[in-house]
Amino acid sequence: MSQFTVTGRFKNRDGFAEFETTIDAQNENVAREHALSQLGSQHRLKRTEIDLEEVVEQ
């Protein structure tokens, strides 16, 4: 498994909040899905409210 750094922003009540998270995944697509799932469950967001800007393998 590789480590990926996912950066982006999500919509909150004050506008947008930036985030950066590190995820262990097999490939870039799995890292994207995991980031969307994790942020959605933590902040009660829909996938359309999350904007993934960059996924970089470390």
Side-chain angles (χ1 to χ4, degrees):
M1 282 203 169
S2 302
Q3 281 193 335
F4 292 88
T5 300
V6 181
T7 58
R9 62 186 189 154
F10 61 88
K11 191 174 181 180
N12 65 8
R13 66 180 179 210
D14 298 328
F16 285 93
E18 305 253 336
F19 72 89
E20 179 176 321
T21 184
T22 303
I23 296 173
D24 291 329
Q26 295 174 348
N27 58 43
E28 184 177 326
N29 291 333
V30 175
R32 286 179 185 271
E33 290 297 318
H34 190 0
L36 289 170
S37 175
Q38 184 178 23
L39 284 167
S41 67
Q42 287 178 353
H43 298 283
R44 295 186 178 183
L45 299 169
K46 295 181 181 178
R47 289 174 179 247
T48 57
E49 298 173 325
I50 303 169
D51 182 24
L52 300 181
E53 294 173 354
E54 186 176 37
V55 180
V56 178
E57 185 173 5
Q58 293 182 342

